[in-house]
Amino acid sequence: MRTRFQKLAVATAAVTVVLFAVGGLVRGTGSGLGCSTWPQCHAGQLFPSGTVHSLIEFSHRAFAFLVICLTLGLGISAWIDRRDQPRILWPAIATFPLVLGQAVLGYRVVATELDPWWVTAHFLVALALIAFVVYVATASLTTSAHVGTGSSRGFSRLTVWSAGVTGALLLVGTYIRAEGPRTGLAFRDWPLMDGRLVPTLGGVTTPMFLHRVLALSAFLLVTWVMVRARTSAQRSPVLVRVATLGAVFFVAQIAVGAANVFTRLRPWAVVLHVAFAVLIWATLVALATLTRGRLRSSSGDVEPFIDDAGSQAPPASVRDTITAYYRLTKPRIIVLLLITTVPAMILAARGVPSVWLILATLLGGTLAAGSANAINMYLDRDIDELMKRTRQRPLPAHAVTVEHALRFGFGLGAISYVFLSITVNVLAATLALSAIAFYVFVYTMWLKRSTAQNIVIGGAAGAVPALVGWAAVTGTLAAPAWVLFAIVFVWTPPHFWALAMRFSGDYAAAGVPMLPVVKGEDETRRQIFLYSLVLFGTTLLLVPVASMGPIYLATALGTGGVFVYRALVLWRRPTTDGSWALFKYSILYLAALFGAVAVDALAS
C-alpha cells in the first residue's frame, strides 16, 4: 500500500514530465510567444486570446502552475513524513525553488524573444527539476519495496555516466532547436552530414556534429546498460524493465531525430523529439536511482554492493592477456565470415577492387565480427561453463573479467563502425553494425535459449558480410548481393546442426534448445537433408541473377551435389562420425563456392 508521500511524489514526477512534454509542443508549433507577456498571457489579459498558439502556451503555463503547487506540497509532506530520511527530504524540498527558478527563466526566455542561451538555461533547470522529482519518487518507492539494491558498483557508475552523457546530449539538442528558426537545418541528410561522416565545422554545424557524436555515445551507453541489466548475476526484474524501456525510448528517439531531418522539422517530429528526450531522461534518472545501492531498509542499514564483475582473477602475464582477448573474438569463425566478403567485392566490381578497399573492408569486418563474438561470449558465459567444448574459453577459464570482456566487445563495435564509415562508406558500416546487433540481441539474447529454430533465424547475422562486401564496392545493394546473402543464410542451419549433433549432450546439459536436443537426431538429419536441397537451389539462382559463367555453374552443381548426397547418406545411413564429416565438408563447400564466384567474375 503506497503512503500519502509516495503517491504525491509519483504524481509530482508524472505531471512534471507532462509539463516538459507540453514544452516540446510549444517549441514544435512555434508557440513560444503565443502569450506576449508574463505572468499574464497578454497585456492586461490573464487568459489567452483564443488563438491556437496562445492556447498552447497558456496550457504550458497552467501545467507549470500545477507543478509549483505539487512541489510545494511535496516539500511540506517530506518535512512532515520523511524528516528522518535526509536523502529524500532535501531533494524533495529542493524541487520547489527549482520550479520557481524555472518560472523566472521562462520569463527571461519570453523577454529575450527565445534567445538560444536562455532557452538552453531554461531546459537545464528543467532537467534538474525532472531529475529531482524522479529521484524522490523512485527512492521513496524503492525504500519500501527494496528493489534494485543488488547492483554492482560498476553498473551503478555506468548508469550515472549514461544519464550524464544523455543530459549533455539533450542540452546541445535544445540549443540547436533554439537556433533552428534562425539558421534552419544544419544538415539535410542523415546519418551523414552534408554527405560526410565528419563535416566541415563552423557556426551551427559544430553543435550539430557534437549532438550526433553525443547521440552515438549515449546510445552505446544505454545499450550497454540494458545488456548489463539483463545479464547480471544479481539480475533484478525491475532493473531489466527500466533499462529495456530506456533503450526502447532511445531507439524511438533516433528514429524521430531522423524524421526531423527528412521532414524538414515538421511540428509533429519536433514535438515527439522533445517528448522522447524527457522520457529518456526520466527513465535514466530512475535507473541510476535504483542502482545506487544505498537504499536503506526499515532498520536503517545500508545494503551492500555486490560486484559480480570483479570476482575473477586477472591473467598471469601480458601474453596471456593478449591471447585471452584474441580468443574472445573467435578468430576461426571470423575467417569463415570473411571468406564471403572478398568474392562479393570481386563480383560487384567484376574485377579486383583496390587493395586498400579490400584491406579496409576486411579489417572493419574483422573488428565487427570480433565485437559480436566477444559480446556473445559475455552473454553466454553461464552456458560455456556447463559445456565441455567451451569450458576453456576466456570467461569460464577466468582469463578475462566479465566487465572487461563486455567493454572490449563494445569498443570493437564502435571502432568498426567509425573505421568502415571513414575508409569504406556508411552503408557498409551500418550493415556491419546491424550484423552485430542482430547476432547479440536477436540470436544470443532472444532466440538461442528460447527456440529450436534459433540458428535458422540467427544465421542472418553470419550472412551479412556478403552484403558488406558488395556495399563496400558499389555503395548500394543489388539482387546478386541478396542472393549471396541467401546462400549463406540457407547454408548455416545444416552446417551448424551437423556440429550440434556431435555436441548435443553439451547443449542438453546447458539447457540450450538446439534441434538435436528438442527434436532428436533423426529429425535433425532429415532437416539437414531438406536444407541441403534448398541450398542447392539457392546457389543456382545466382547464375541468372548475376550472369554467372560456367566456372561457377560447374562448381555449384558439383560441390552442391556432393553436399546433398552426403546429407542424404547421413539421413538414411547414420554413423557416429557422419555429422562431423558433413560439418567439415560444409566449410570446404562454402569456401569453394565463393571462390568460384570470384574466379568466374574475374574470368568473365
Side-chain angles (χ1 to χ4, degrees), residues 265-343:
L265 299 175
R266 292 292 294 270
W268 66 265
V270 175
V271 172
L272 285 178
H273 205 45
V274 176
F276 276 119
V278 174
L279 290 173
I280 291 168
W281 175 246
T283 303
L284 294 181
V285 170
L287 186 63
T289 303
L290 287 169
T291 59
R292 284 297 296 167
R294 297 175 183 172
L295 302 179
R296 289 171 170 78
S297 64
S298 57
S299 63
D301 296 329
V302 179
E303 302 210 14
F305 281 105
I306 303 172
D307 196 344
D308 64 347
S311 61
Q312 303 176 24
S317 67
V318 174
R319 180 179 179 180
D320 289 341
T321 301
I322 294 174
T323 301
Y325 280 103
Y326 173 72
R327 291 177 59 210
L328 275 177
T329 64
K330 299 182 183 179
R332 292 181 180 179
I333 295 179
I334 290 178
V335 171
L336 188 61
L337 294 176
L338 296 182
I339 285 175
T340 65
T341 303
V342 175

Side-chain angles (χ1 to χ4, degrees), residues 6 19 73 118 196 205 208 214 232 239 291 320 348 435-436 466 471 485 514 588 596 603:
Q6 289 173 328
L19 165 66
W118 282 110
R196 301 170 59 188
T205 63
M208 188 68 240
L214 286 171
S232 173
L239 291 183
T291 59
D320 289 341
I436 297 173
F485 172 90
M514 286 297 174
L588 297 175

Side-chain angles (χ1 to χ4, degrees), residues 98 102 105 117-130 167 170-171 174 281:
L98 278 173
Q102 177 76 351
L105 286 172
W117 288 107
W118 282 110
V119 171
T120 305
H122 186 252
F123 195 71
L124 174 62
V125 177
L127 292 181
L129 175 60
I130 293 172
L170 301 184
L171 288 176
T174 298
W281 175 246

Side-chain angles (χ1 to χ4, degrees), residues 550-591:
I551 296 175
Y552 172 81
L553 179 60
T555 304
L557 290 172
T559 59
V562 172
F563 196 116
V564 172
Y565 174 75
R566 283 175 172 262
L568 179 62
V569 170
L570 177 65
W571 179 28
R572 294 302 188 188
R573 297 194 300 271
T575 61
T576 304
D577 297 326
S579 62
W580 184 243
L582 181 62
F583 168 76
K584 291 189 292 185
Y585 175 77
S586 68
I587 298 174
L588 297 175
Y589 165 78
L590 189 70

Side-chain angles (χ1 to χ4, degrees), residues 175-176 179 183-187 193-194 196 198-210:
Y175 177 82
I176 293 170
E179 282 281 9
T183 61
L185 282 171
F187 308 111
M193 291 158 278
D194 290 337
R196 301 170 59 188
V198 179
T200 302
L201 301 180
V204 73
T205 63
T206 299
M208 188 68 240
F209 175 68
L210 176 61

Side-chain angles (χ1 to χ4, degrees), residues 444-504:
T444 305
M445 295 184 67
W446 176 29
L447 296 172
K448 186 171 183 177
R449 307 187 190 213
S450 62
T451 173
Q453 297 300 308
N454 45 24
I455 200 63
V456 176
I457 305 171
V464 170
L467 299 180
V468 173
W470 188 280
V473 173
T474 66
T476 61
L477 292 176
W482 288 110
V483 175
L484 293 174
F485 172 90
I487 290 172
V488 182
F489 180 76
V490 177
W491 166 86
T492 302
H495 162 76
F496 201 89
W497 284 334
L499 174 69
M501 287 178 64
R502 184 177 178 88
F503 297 101
S504 59

Side-chain angles (χ1 to χ4, degrees), residues 2-16 66-82 92 95 133-134 136-137 140-141:
R2 291 182 180 177
T3 66
R4 176 184 61 185
F5 178 79
Q6 289 173 328
K7 292 178 181 178
L8 181 58
V10 172
T12 304
V15 175
T16 302
L66 180 57
V67 170
I68 289 174
C69 296
L70 287 171
T71 53
L72 177 60
L74 185 66
I76 295 172
S77 180
W79 182 260
I80 295 173
D81 297 335
R82 299 298 176 109
T95 59
V133 295
V134 170
V136 171
S140 65
L141 291 172

